[in-house]
Amino acid sequence: MINKKNKKIYFLIILLTISLCSLGMNKKEISNDGKIFKNIYIENVNVEYLSIKEAKNEIIKNYPMQTIHIEYNEKKWDISPEDIGLDYNIDKSIKEAYEYTRGEDNIKKMFNLSFKEPYIVKLHASYNEAKLSEILIEICKEINIGVVQATINIKDSSQVLTTDSKKGIEVEIIKLKEAIYDMIDKKNIKKIELPINIIEPKVKTEDVKSVDTILGQYSTSFYDHSSRGSNIHVAAKSTSDILLMPGEIFSYNKTTGARTWSNGYKSAKVIVGGKYVNGEGGGVCQVSTTIYNAALLAGMEIKEVHNHTFTSHYAPRGKDAAVSYGYTDFKFRNPYSHPIYIKNISNNGSITSKIYGCSQDRERIYIRTEEKYDENKIDVKTYRIYLNEENKKIIEELIAQSKYKIK
């Protein structure tokens, strides 16, 4: 009589025997016969029942080491596998495939390979990143061309000198590297069209060519042979020959920088707390005021302006622009679709600020002020009026409200 325990053992033996037969796992397959087991792939190549040598030949046939070809217009570059030490590490992957069913749990692995999904071994490509980068840098040197901005220079004599702009060319090195990395990873080497980026100049030839007239100008006088006069020359020069593109903002303080000895400024009279004292940069407010009045007549959008404590001797009330580095600034924005050019001329005790621009943007403008006297102050409103061709008012805008102490 066979008890229940023995019946269970016999049943398991019979089941295992049937399984082995159905798997075709004869003695030859299970033993180390030098062949890769069934249903094993290297990438998408089936290497079942192949020897190591046969598998290697099959992999080389399907994944040959190829030269990377890069092209741009008539230029061509070739990067061979040897140039960058490219290796698919085929031997390592074949060894993994061969030994998969020759270690621990080999019976279980064989069972899974027969009834479940295949086992796929990856080819892990390797290469010398530094050598590849060196080659790509040399390619970039052949192709890259720096962008050239158009320039304009208006002489004191009003002579206009311009230079043309040129587009730049730049290899998109990151995009190129990513394309190469992807090909190597997929083991699918093919021709690459060199990715480039055309760099448009910010200042184009047509921009500087559009500057053909004076939109507004203003002059003030000063005593030339003094520290104050010296400061005016320094400030006038630092705020001159500036091209302001459409929408850009001019900042007086940012343009001049700090009014220090190191920047060429001397001590001269300045107003501090309603009193005249010696300070570095005295006189720079006359330059900001002169530019301010030219900007008003040129139709600039005034973003920031401040009046002095007392009425200035070089400009009417409501038409001055006090500045103090780090505290109060004078700013305006170019509202036109063409650039404007700031030109200051200071000599013989006079400073003139001219704002050049496109004749299409020229407006008929005049400035008027309204004054209201109080006990110890004067309130002034500054208006800008736009006229049509018949000199009739079409727009009037309030620009600033100023308050001056009466001495």
Side-chain angles (χ1 to χ4, degrees), residues 151-396:
T151 65
I152 180 170
N153 183 23
I154 300 179
K155 301 294 185 181
D156 290 358
S157 62
S158 297
Q159 180 187 11
V160 180
L161 304 175
T162 62
T163 62
D164 293 340
S165 62
K166 292 182 181 178
K167 294 179 180 180
I169 299 176
E170 184 179 66
V171 175
E172 294 186 79
I173 187 68
I174 294 177
K175 189 174 181 179
L176 176 59
K177 281 188 174 183
E178 286 177 347
I180 293 174
Y181 297 160
D182 187 63
M183 288 195 309
I184 291 175
D185 182 62
K186 294 178 180 177
K187 275 70 69 177
N188 183 23
I189 306 299
K190 56 186 177 181
K191 183 180 71 176
I192 298 177
E193 187 67 27
L194 188 69
I196 62 152
N197 183 32
I198 302 298
I199 306 171
E200 294 287 343
K202 293 180 180 179
V203 183
K204 299 180 180 179
T205 302
E206 55 265 32
D207 291 327
V208 296
K209 295 292 185 183
S210 73
V211 179
D212 58 3
T213 191
I214 295 175
L215 300 180
Q217 71 175 52
Y218 195 82
S219 298
T220 60
S221 299
F222 62 94
Y223 180 60
D224 204 352
H225 304 291
S226 64
S227 295
R228 189 175 181 281
S230 174
N231 291 338
I232 289 174
H233 287 297
V234 173
K237 184 177 180 181
S238 66
T239 54
S240 184
D241 302 304
I242 295 172
L243 187 71
L244 206 66
M245 296 300 288
E248 286 188 342
I249 293 177
F250 168 85
S251 165
Y252 187 82
N253 284 343
K254 184 178 180 180
T255 307
T256 62
R259 270 75 85 174
T260 59
W261 283 91
S262 60
N263 285 336
Y265 292 95
K266 300 178 180 179
S267 291
K269 294 291 183 182
V270 295
I271 300 176
V272 178
K275 297 181 180 180
Y276 286 95
V277 297
N278 280 326
E280 288 183 345
V284 295
C285 290
Q286 183 163 348
V287 178
S288 59
T289 293
T290 308
I291 298 173
Y292 172 48
N293 281 272
L296 284 174
L297 295 170
M300 296 295 103
E301 180 185 340
I302 307 303
K303 304 297 288 185
E304 181 182 348
V305 66
H306 306 271
N307 63 280
H308 290 84
T309 305
F310 302 111
T311 300
S312 301
H313 66 274
Y314 48 79
R317 285 187 288 268
K319 293 186 177 182
D320 59 329
V323 291
S324 175
Y325 190 79
Y327 297 95
T328 56
D329 199 0
F330 163 54
K331 297 178 181 179
F332 66 83
R333 175 182 174 273
N334 174 11
Y336 302 128
S337 58
H338 304 95
I340 61 104
Y341 183 89
I342 304 169
K343 180 68 180 182
N344 299 327
I345 302 170
S346 60
N347 54 42
N348 300 322
S350 174
I351 172 173
T352 298
S353 181
K354 299 179 181 181
I355 296 183
Y356 289 81
C358 179
S359 54
Q360 296 176 22
D361 300 325
R362 191 168 185 174
E363 301 277 3
R364 293 172 183 264
I365 293 173
Y366 79 91
I367 309 300
R368 75 174 183 88
T369 57
E370 289 181 357
E371 297 186 358
K372 181 181 178 181
Y373 286 77
D374 206 339
E375 291 182 359
N376 59 351
K377 66 178 180 178
I378 306 172
D379 293 332
V380 182
K381 291 182 178 180
T382 304
Y383 295 90
R384 177 162 54 191
I385 294 89
Y386 292 83
L387 307 174
N388 62 18
E389 292 182 358
E390 288 76 34
N391 285 330
K392 292 183 179 180
K393 182 171 68 174
I394 53 176
I395 299 174
E396 180 174 287

